Amino acid sequence: MAKIKTAIFPVGGLGTRFLPATKAMPKEMLPVVDKPLIQYAVEEAAEAGIEQFIFVTGRGKSAIEDHFDHSFELEYALRAHSKDEALEVTRAMMRTPGSVSYVRQQEPAGLGHAVWCARHLIQDEPVAVLLADDLINTGDAPGCLSQMVNTYDSEGVRGGNMVALMEVERSQTQSYGMISPGEERYIEESRLIEVKGLVEKPPPQEAPSRLAVVGRYIIEPGVFKELAAQERGAGGEVQLTDSLAKRVGQAPFQGLVFKGSRYDCGSKIGFLTANIAHALERPELSESLREWLRGQMASS
Ligand code: UTP
C-alpha cells in the first residue's frame, strides 16, 4: 500500500465568520464538546498512518503550537492532585519528538498560498492536506483520510491527486469547489469518481455537478509546481482548487465519496450541529442532552 507519510494542516485563515470568538483565538482551537477542531484532524491523520505533521500558521495562532506541546505546570498540578486520567489525556495527544513542524503564512492569501508555504518541508512525494474546520465523523468506520489512503494505491489513482467528495444541494455550490465527474467505479465498497475538472465556488447554474470537494486532499508534487505561480482566483485568493484543476489530464485524479458525516465548523450552524451530534455520542452526556432537547422541542 502507498504510504502517505506527511500531512499539511493549513491553519492560517482569519476565521472572520466566527468573530469575535476568533479575534484572539484560532478558529481551529474551537472545541467540539471538549476537544479542539485541530486535534480531531491530527488524530484522523495519525490513524491514517501520517508520521510528519506540518502546520501552516499565521499571526495569533500560537495557541495551536502550545496545544501540541507539554504544559509542565499543568502536568505538575495534575500529578500533585492525583488526577491521573486528566494527566493521561494531556499526554496521549503528544506526538513523537521532531514529527511536528510549523511554518508561518505571513498573510492569509488563500488556501493555495498556505499549502505552498509548506513546500520546503516536504519531500518529492504525495502529501495529505486536512482542513480542521471540516470535521468528519465516521463513527466506528475508518476516518475519512484512512478511507482515502486505503484506495490511493489502486490502479488509476496511484501517485495522483485525490479529493474527498460529498453531494450537496445545487443551491449550495457557491460554497465549495465543485467537480466535473468522469467514470465512476467501486474499489472495496468505496465509490471513486474520476475528476475531469474542478471549479471553485461556481453559481448553481454553472456548477458541473452536485459533487463538492470537502477539506481532505492527497496532492502530488505537480500541484506544488502549479502553486508556485501564485495566481489569484475566486475571492482574490490563491485557491488550491485552481492548481488542482491544472493537473487534470497530467496525473491521475480521483474523488472519493467518503462514508461519514461532515460538519462545516467554519460556519456557526455547522459548529453547533457538530457539538450536538458529538455530544449525543458521548455516554456521559447523551441522556441529559436528549432530555433537554426533547423539552425544547415540546415547548416550541
Ligand atoms: P476558510 O476558507 O474557512 O477561511 O479556510 P478562513 O479565513 O479560515 O475563515 P473565514 O471564511 O474568514 O471565516 C479553510 C481552512 O484553510 C485555512 C484556514 O485556517 C482553514 O483551516 N486557510 C485559509 C489558511 O491557512 N490560509 C488562508 O490564507 C486561508
Side-chain angles (χ1 to χ4, degrees), residues 43 47 84 113 118 166 171:
E43 287 175 2
E47 184 222 75
D84 299 340
H113 182 259
M166 70 174 202
S171 57

Side-chain angles (χ1 to χ4, degrees), residues 191-258:
R191 188 178 162 207
L192 274 173
I193 301 175
E194 185 189 357
V195 178
K196 298 191 95 174
L198 271 160
V199 48
E200 185 66 21
K201 302 187 172 68
Q205 67 279 11
E206 286 169 28
S209 70
R210 292 203 294 119
L211 290 164
V213 177
V214 300
R216 302 288 182 277
Y217 311 78
I218 297 175
I219 58 175
E220 41 82 34
V223 176
F224 284 88
K225 295 203 179 90
E226 301 294 349
L227 283 172
Q230 289 293 292
E231 276 170 34
R232 303 265 168 168
E237 296 192 334
V238 181
Q239 299 289 352
L240 179 60
T241 307
D242 294 343
S243 287
L244 280 170
K246 292 195 179 124
R247 298 300 294 160
V248 172
Q250 312 288 319
F253 202 153
Q254 298 283 329
L256 177 90
V257 182
F258 65 92

Side-chain angles (χ1 to χ4, degrees), residues 164-173 176-179 181 184 186 191 193 209-214 256-260 262:
L165 293 175
M166 70 174 202
E167 277 189 29
V168 298
E169 297 296 331
R170 204 158 260 286
S171 57
Q172 296 181 321
T173 60
Y176 298 92
M178 305 298 298
I179 69 149
E184 188 172 327
Y186 281 83
R191 188 178 162 207
I193 301 175
S209 70
R210 292 203 294 119
L211 290 164
V213 177
V214 300
L256 177 90
V257 182
F258 65 92
K259 295 186 192 111
R262 173 258 187 184

Side-chain angles (χ1 to χ4, degrees), residues 9-18 27-28 56-57 61 105 107-111 113-115 130-133 201 237 264 266:
F9 302 86
V11 293
L14 293 176
T16 53
R17 286 170 290 167
F18 257 102
K27 170 173 75 171
E28 298 78 10
V56 183
T57 69
K61 300 278 182 168
Q105 186 188 21
E107 50 160 341
L111 179 58
H113 182 259
V115 171
L130 295 95
L131 306 189
D133 47 1
K201 302 187 172 68
E237 296 192 334
D264 173 12

Side-chain angles (χ1 to χ4, degrees), residues 105-179:
Q105 186 188 21
Q106 289 141 324
E107 50 160 341
L111 179 58
H113 182 259
V115 171
W116 179 73
C117 285
R119 67 196 179 283
H120 295 305
L121 297 178
I122 59 169
Q123 311 290 325
D124 192 27
E125 61 186 9
V127 296
V129 176
L130 295 95
L131 306 189
D133 47 1
D134 267 341
L135 178 58
I136 301 181
N137 185 344
T138 56
D140 294 334
C144 182
L145 188 64
S146 286
Q147 294 177 30
M148 293 170 75
V149 168
N150 289 342
T151 45
Y152 185 73
D153 204 24
S154 319
E155 189 69 25
V157 186
R158 197 175 302 132
N161 294 294
M162 185 183 260
V163 290
L165 293 175
M166 70 174 202
E167 277 189 29
V168 298
E169 297 296 331
R170 204 158 260 286
S171 57
Q172 296 181 321
T173 60
Q174 258 165 319
S175 305
Y176 298 92
M178 305 298 298
I179 69 149

